[in-house]
Amino acid sequence: MSGPGTESEPRIFDADPIRRAIGFEDLIEPVARALADFGTGLGEAPISVFAPAGDEGDVHVKSAWLPGRSIFTVKVGTWFTARARNGRSAADGYVVVHDATTGEPIALLRDEHHLTDVRTAAAGALATRLLARADATVLAVLGTGTQAYLQSLAAGAVRPIDTVLVRGRNPASARRLQNALAAARPNWAVSVVADAERAVRAADVIVTATAGREPVVAGPWLRPGQHVTAIGADDPGKAELDPDCFRRADLVVVDSRIEAGRFAGDLRAALDAGAITAAEVETELGDLVLGSRPGRPAREDITIAKLIGLGAQDLAAAETALHRLRAAPTPHRPTPASALDLTDAADPVRRR
């Protein structure tokens, strides 16, 4: 990427070249480095959330700066059902990239949520790599949208997954996800499971990618040796895991101990119910990257990664994307997940 102050006017990049330029695989290591820096107390990643349309639309503003970076970023992520009613994705957004020396905007990435999608998948891959057992082969994914698709591929990128169990509230959406995963990974056995408990009990790795208001996983369903990556409940009104999940876990890892306690609705409910204490939610993903805290305690332990998404991840994604966008030509990529028709109106993910 060019140094600070090299452009007088901000460059504007639209979603299609951004999708072609970058996928989640490109962001696993950049996201790991950003979370490690953030985990040492360097930089800031404030979050602001408001809902101008109530349950029908919300806005997440996530910003970040990290020492030693030539840029800082401000991301606006939106989710409005009115867009979906007009035949578009409910999710939208953009990232403004600023010069960290002068504060001037140098680029506008009109990514239509793609960078958020892939940086979230990269964080999921990182969590699975650091916490799931090395011999994990069976994945259960609860949710049927773009993030369920990407998180499944992310788990398969870091563990020898060969079986995927899909569970969604909308059978047609579950079948669409099944077909998309089977097309992307022909060597996988992908099936739709009607019963969430059955899927969870059979899995080595469980991914929850929903926007539910009630838990979709119950603690008694978990068995020793499993890992759970929960990425959907990213505001106080949502829940994916019931308090017993946290009670049964031998290790709970978050991306930010401060922000997860504020915004992760299911974790907040578990803390309020006394199922887990604040002292038991002290390990961040960045700590595991740095090696300052151990990962999976033992083979038979249950681990949970509760991720809400941080601006530090957006900074890493924007930095990587801008570097690639400025280096012509843009490489050819297969159709990205964010361009697939995986919208589940009954069970969307408002990942920001």
Side-chain angles (χ1 to χ4, degrees):
M1 186 170 65
S2 302
T6 58
E7 298 181 8
S8 58
E9 294 293 332
R11 292 189 64 183
I12 300 175
F13 296 95
D14 290 327
D16 284 345
I18 294 171
R19 291 189 185 104
R20 291 193 298 269
I22 193 164
F24 79 84
E25 305 95 328
D26 306 308
L27 292 178
I28 297 174
E29 298 311 322
V31 164
R33 290 192 296 271
L35 290 175
D37 286 346
F38 181 76
T40 63
L42 301 175
E44 295 176 90
I47 300 174
S48 175
V49 179
F50 54 96
D55 288 342
E56 298 298 309
D58 59 27
V59 180
H60 287 220
V61 181
K62 296 186 177 181
S63 309
W65 71 273
L66 292 171
R69 308 288 178 118
S70 63
I71 63 170
F72 69 87
T73 53
V74 178
K75 183 189 78 174
V76 177
T78 63
W79 189 96
F80 283 79
T81 59
R83 283 176 53 88
R85 287 194 294 270
N86 291 328
R88 298 177 292 172
S89 169
D92 196 11
Y94 58 86
V95 182
V96 183
V97 181
H98 294 259
D99 186 307
T101 301
T102 66
E104 296 172 353
I106 58 175
L108 172 62
L109 305 180
R110 298 169 57 179
D111 66 309
E112 296 179 355
H113 209 261
H114 177 69
L115 292 178
T116 297
D117 287 336
V118 291
R119 64 81 154 148
T120 303
L126 184 62
T128 300
R129 187 175 77 188
L130 292 168
L131 291 167
R133 287 182 3 180
D135 59 355
T137 59
V138 181
L139 170 71
V141 56
L142 280 66
T144 57
T146 297
Q147 202 48 232
Y149 173 83
L150 284 172
Q151 290 292 337
S152 298
L153 298 183
V158 296
R159 286 296 181 265
I161 300 299
D162 59 23
T163 302
V164 180
L165 308 174
V166 175
R167 167 67 174 95
R169 291 185 295 177
N170 184 317
S173 296
R175 287 191 296 272
R176 282 199 298 271
L177 176 59
Q178 176 190 20
N179 293 337
L181 289 173
R185 297 291 184 268
N187 60 318
W188 284 1
V190 185
S191 59
V192 174
V193 179
D195 181 31
E197 180 177 355
R198 175 187 162 197
V200 169
R201 287 186 181 275
D204 302 313
V205 177
I206 300 135
V207 167
T208 59
T210 75
R213 299 283 168 174
E214 299 293 333
V216 295
V217 178
W221 302 352
L222 300 178
R223 59 174 173 79
Q226 289 180 312
H227 168 67
V228 181
T229 297
I231 63 98
D234 59 348
D235 74 35
K238 302 175 188 173
E240 294 189 307
L241 311 181
D242 76 359
D244 277 340
C245 290
F246 294 98
R247 181 180 287 112
R248 293 203 59 203
D250 297 281
L251 176 65
V252 175
V253 177
V254 294
D255 39 15
S256 167
R257 63 181 65 92
I258 295 174
E259 301 296 0
R262 292 176 59 206
F263 290 104
D266 44 12
L267 177 58
R268 184 72 261 163
L271 289 165
D272 292 344
I276 192 171
T277 67
E280 295 174 291
V281 194
E282 284 295 306
T283 300
E284 294 182 341
L285 205 52
D287 297 329
L288 303 187
V289 175
L290 291 167
S292 58
R293 291 175 183 257
R296 168 170 288 277
R299 179 176 173 80
E300 296 305 307
D301 284 342
I302 296 170
T303 58
I304 294 175
K306 179 66 217 179
L307 309 179
I308 61 167
L310 300 179
Q313 297 166 231
D314 299 315
L315 190 156
E319 189 174 53
T320 305
L322 190 55
H323 176 79
R324 292 188 171 211
L325 290 163
R326 284 173 161 174
T330 300
H332 172 73
R333 288 181 173 276
T335 302
S338 52
L340 296 174
D341 181 17
L342 290 174
T343 301
D344 183 352
D347 199 14
V349 177
R350 304 188 197 184
R351 164 55 61 189
R352 296 286 172 258

